[in-house]
């Protein structure tokens, strides 16, 4: 979620109604992924990827789950 969208979601907690207010019930913070967790997650969704490609995808994502 972008920082602007997160800001709008937080406004709902203060009683300000926004579009984000009705779109989400809860927002969870997900910390940066490490290489092993990223490879495990991708390996569960896409079978047969090489270790090099998994590492490349991790580097391109910068460890951000939503980018991975």
């Amino acid at each position: 979620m972008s920082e602007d969208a997160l800001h709008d979601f937080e406004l709902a907690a203060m009683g300000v109604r926004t579009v984000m207010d009705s779109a989400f019930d809860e927002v969870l913070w997900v910390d940066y992924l490490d290489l092993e967790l990223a490879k495990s997650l991708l390996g569960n969704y896409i079978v047969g990827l090489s270790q090099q490609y998994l590492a490349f995808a991790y580097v391109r994502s910068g460890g951000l789950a939503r980018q991975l």
Side-chain angles (χ1 to χ4, degrees):
M1 173 181 290
S2 71
E3 289 191 22
D4 289 339
L6 183 58
H7 178 263
D8 287 349
F9 182 76
E10 290 171 347
L11 287 176
M14 295 186 294
V16 178
R17 304 277 309 175
T18 67
V19 174
M20 297 301 287
D21 181 29
S22 61
F24 297 101
D25 293 326
E26 184 177 4
V27 175
L28 300 175
W29 175 260
V30 177
D31 207 358
Y32 288 93
L33 303 175
D34 62 15
L35 176 59
E36 293 307 313
L37 181 56
K39 287 175 19 179
S40 174
L41 288 173
L42 282 178
N44 287 335
Y45 287 105
I46 307 170
V47 178
L49 289 177
S50 69
Q51 293 297 310
Q52 293 85 358
Y53 186 82
L54 292 171
F56 175 72
Y58 172 74
V59 169
R60 292 284 300 169
S61 73
L64 294 172
R66 78 171 184 200
Q67 298 293 354
L68 186 64

